[in-house]
Amino acid sequence: MDILGIDFGGTGIKGAVVNVQTGEMTTVKHRLPTPLGAKPEDVAEVVADIVHHFEWKGPVGCGVPGVVIEGMVYTAANIDKSWIGTNAVQLFSNAAGCPFSVINDADAAGIAEMTFGAGRGKSGVVLLLTLGTGIGSAIFVEGKLFPNTELGHLQIRGKDAEKRASDAVRKNKGLDWQEWAMRLNEYLNTLEALLYPDLIILGGGVSKKADYFFPYLKVRAKIVPAQMLNEAGIIGAALYAYSQFHR
């Protein structure tokens, strides 16, 4: 079965139709820039444009960079604060004319990696981190998602971890790979001291360049790059929508 998946990120909103049985995208990915300020109504308009691009009429899954509980957004660290208290399911459904399910974006990426990617068949505690504009996190225990963790906001040296170790920080500060990896490693060791995961999956676009920084990472757990790269959010959002609309 095919479901449209959409991933709302800090710089771009992208979507594709996904075969939820195989995890493969059955269309070419369509990406539009995230509107300046990323206010709810503006984002909803872009989301609707993506739905209309695919001439889609069925269920849609969308990942959002914030805590999402029963369709309601509770945090907005890297998007406009007016998202807090917004019913994203209602907002997107009204804008696009399709039934929506909405999930935290890192949780969506985690579902994709656990189902078809680097976490497939893995037991124990698996931690996925998405390194991008911020740092998203998803935790799975024996394959089950513990939703809405916000571990990118863990304090490291008096700052949110994502203000020190996200991929955006690497780019904005002009850090070389080793300099950035040292910051990331400090963050990973802090997480290990709290969670003791068996496997850490590093995702986001930077995971394509794992060879540049993985040699500098020193952690107890096995650490691997995400296999689904920037497509994980789209695929995971589609998988989540399927689980919600086909209970």
Side-chain angles (χ1 to χ4, degrees), residues 75-86:
T75 65
N78 295 304
I79 51 179
D80 192 81
K81 300 304 180 188
S82 59
W83 276 98
I84 298 173
T86 294

Side-chain angles (χ1 to χ4, degrees), residues 2-14:
D2 285 355
I3 298 275
L4 178 60
I6 296 176
D7 184 22
F8 161 26
T11 58
I13 301 173
K14 51 191 184 290

Side-chain angles (χ1 to χ4, degrees), residues 33-210:
T34 300
L36 189 64
K39 293 184 178 180
E41 295 75 15
D42 296 335
V43 169
E45 185 175 328
V46 175
V47 166
D49 286 345
I50 291 173
V51 172
H52 298 151
H53 169 83
F54 291 106
E55 300 180 349
W56 188 257
K57 303 299 181 185
V60 184
C62 185
V64 170
V67 168
V68 181
I69 301 173
E70 295 183 351
M72 192 76 70
V73 181
Y74 282 82
T75 65
N78 295 304
I79 51 179
D80 192 81
K81 300 304 180 188
S82 59
W83 276 98
I84 298 173
T86 294
N87 187 321
V89 166
Q90 188 176 76
L91 176 71
F92 294 152
S93 297
N94 290 344
C98 291
F100 266 74
S101 68
V102 179
I103 183 174
N104 171 268
D105 56 349
D107 285 348
I111 289 170
E113 288 292 337
M114 292 298 290
T115 307
F116 296 111
R120 186 173 188 174
K122 303 299 183 185
S123 59
V125 178
V126 179
L127 170 63
L128 174 127
L129 299 172
T130 56
L131 307 171
T133 304
I135 296 177
S137 61
I139 296 176
F140 294 81
V141 181
E142 301 300 342
K144 302 295 184 182
L145 173 67
F146 184 91
N148 288 310
T149 56
E150 288 284 278
L151 299 177
H153 302 297
L154 202 66
Q155 293 287 297
I156 306 289
R157 299 184 184 233
K159 288 185 178 180
D160 279 9
E162 67 178 25
K163 302 298 184 185
R164 286 187 48 80
S166 69
D167 191 40
V169 168
R170 177 185 68 83
K171 294 173 181 175
N172 293 339
K173 290 189 174 292
L175 301 174
D176 65 30
W177 288 107
Q178 184 173 7
E179 289 171 328
W180 178 65
M182 293 303 100
R183 290 175 174 233
L184 179 58
N185 200 66
E186 183 179 27
Y187 172 52
L188 295 177
N189 277 278
T190 302
L191 289 174
E192 280 210 308
L194 297 171
L195 301 172
Y196 287 89
D198 299 289
L199 175 68
I200 299 173
I201 303 170
L202 295 185
V206 75
S207 58
K208 291 183 290 187
K209 300 175 180 176

